[in-house]
Amino acid sequence: MITPERLIQKTKVFLLDLDGTLYLGETPIGRVQETLALLRAAGKKLVYCTNNSSKTPSEYVRKLEKIGLWGEGDMVYTSGIAAAEYLRKYRPKERVYALATDEVKADLAARGVPLDEENPDVCLLAYDTSLTFAKMKKFNEFLCAGKFYAATHPDAVCPALPCPMPDVGSFIEMFRVSSGRTPDVVCGKPCPVMGEGLESLLGVEKGAVAMVGDRLHTDIRFANCSGFTAVLVLSGETTAEMAAASADRPDIVLKAFDNLLPLLAAENSAKSV
């Protein structure tokens, strides 16, 4: 375990999960806005790192601006971006059938992923909130034909009210039953594809990167697998009892991310004297 002081000192980049970590629904958790502002003032890079591939980075920026969390120099990195970078690197020029919203498909195309609705080489399963039976049928037929199969992330459910909603992990299980296939690669947390993409993008040593999140089996496992500092917050899914019983080990546990605020405020005040 490390101290909050050491966490702030050693970290150049904070990878930040969203729902349950920074906000619940659209309500910021505690004084997180001030915490983020002081991290920026201290020269830290903030990267909003989410598995949810139902939205484009631009859509996330608009949401974060609305909630009051977005700031100059911030970045968004989704499992959809990780999948696009994986396909461009390892399956270059192969054409992709993406089970995704129209907005996400447009973003994939803008990132250099060639899309094909009729004769693809690759099937990409994203979190398609516009899903129809016709789309599922076509995707399943491509899987049965042996096309390379990628998924953006493994989460079984997406937090929502009044109850969790089926996410990509649930669709993976459905297609396993219907086609006998499981993904050849999964790109989002906790899988290493996302870590490799972030390392390449950020250009900093692993020890200077901290992943902050509320889920043990995605955020904390991802940090453990990627060599990043694992910061667990107890403001979302995970309780202290769950953390104590888990094989996924955080380097530091905070009740909420704004627990860092007094230290950051003190540092900022000392610098301004």
Side-chain angles (χ1 to χ4, degrees):
M1 286 286 189
I2 63 172
T3 64
E5 292 86 352
R6 179 60 181 151
L7 172 67
I8 294 169
Q9 180 185 49
K10 75 192 288 279
T11 304
K12 296 178 181 177
V13 179
F14 283 88
L15 307 177
L16 302 167
D17 181 54
L18 297 176
D19 209 353
T21 299
L22 301 182
Y23 54 73
L24 291 170
E26 293 194 354
T27 303
I29 296 172
R31 299 172 68 186
V32 69
Q33 291 151 310
E34 297 169 70
T35 305
L36 297 178
L38 286 176
L39 284 171
R40 293 186 197 101
K44 311 299 184 182
K45 182 73 174 177
L46 305 182
V47 180
Y48 300 98
C49 184
T50 178
N51 266 359
N52 191 328
S53 58
S54 68
K55 294 181 175 65
T56 67
S58 296
E59 289 175 300
Y60 274 114
V61 170
R62 288 195 292 272
K63 179 173 182 176
L64 290 163
E65 286 176 334
K66 179 181 177 182
I67 298 173
L69 301 183
W70 186 257
E72 185 176 353
D74 293 356
M75 291 176 53
V76 172
Y77 196 87
T78 70
S79 63
I81 296 174
E85 292 183 350
Y86 175 90
L87 292 172
R88 284 195 308 158
K89 182 176 181 180
Y90 294 106
R91 317 291 295 194
K93 300 182 181 178
E94 293 191 5
R95 305 191 69 80
V96 177
Y97 177 72
L99 201 64
T101 66
D102 288 343
E103 293 80 6
V104 169
K105 286 193 287 187
D107 187 71
L108 289 167
R111 293 178 186 278
V113 176
L115 302 181
D116 191 326
E117 295 280 319
E118 303 303 329
N119 188 31
D121 307 292
V122 175
C123 293
L124 175 62
L125 177 59
Y127 188 19
D128 187 358
T129 53
S130 61
L131 191 61
T132 64
F133 184 80
K135 284 183 173 183
M136 288 190 295
K137 179 176 180 292
K138 180 179 281 192
F139 194 87
N140 191 71
E141 288 170 351
F142 289 142
L143 292 183
C144 290
K147 307 296 183 178
F148 185 86
Y149 178 15
T152 55
H153 62 288
D155 300 40
V157 297
C158 180
L161 293 174
C163 61
M165 300 302 292
D167 204 333
V168 168
S170 295
F171 302 152
I172 287 172
E173 181 62 15
M174 177 184 68
F175 286 120
R176 182 192 67 79
V177 173
S178 62
S179 72
R181 297 282 305 281
T182 55
D184 297 303
V185 65
V186 179
C187 298
K189 299 176 289 185
C191 305
V193 170
M194 200 171 204
E196 292 168 8
L198 283 162
E199 275 187 74
S200 176
L201 177 69
L202 297 169
V204 298
E205 62 276 16
K206 292 181 179 182
V209 179
M211 177 70 228
V212 185
D214 69 305
R215 280 184 168 183
L216 289 161
H217 64 286
T218 54
D219 303 313
I220 302 308
R221 188 176 300 173
F222 172 65
N224 292 164
C225 292
S226 300
F228 303 150
T229 302
V231 183
L232 176 66
V233 292
L234 303 179
S235 52
E237 177 179 296
T238 301
T239 65
E241 292 74 21
M242 291 165 64
S246 175
D248 301 307
R249 306 309 302 169
D251 295 298
I252 182 171
V253 180
L254 304 172
K255 287 185 178 178
F257 192 50
D258 70 354
N259 286 181
L260 299 180
L261 183 58
L263 288 171
L264 291 164
E267 283 190 13
N268 190 60
S269 179
K271 287 178 182 178
S272 63
V273 171

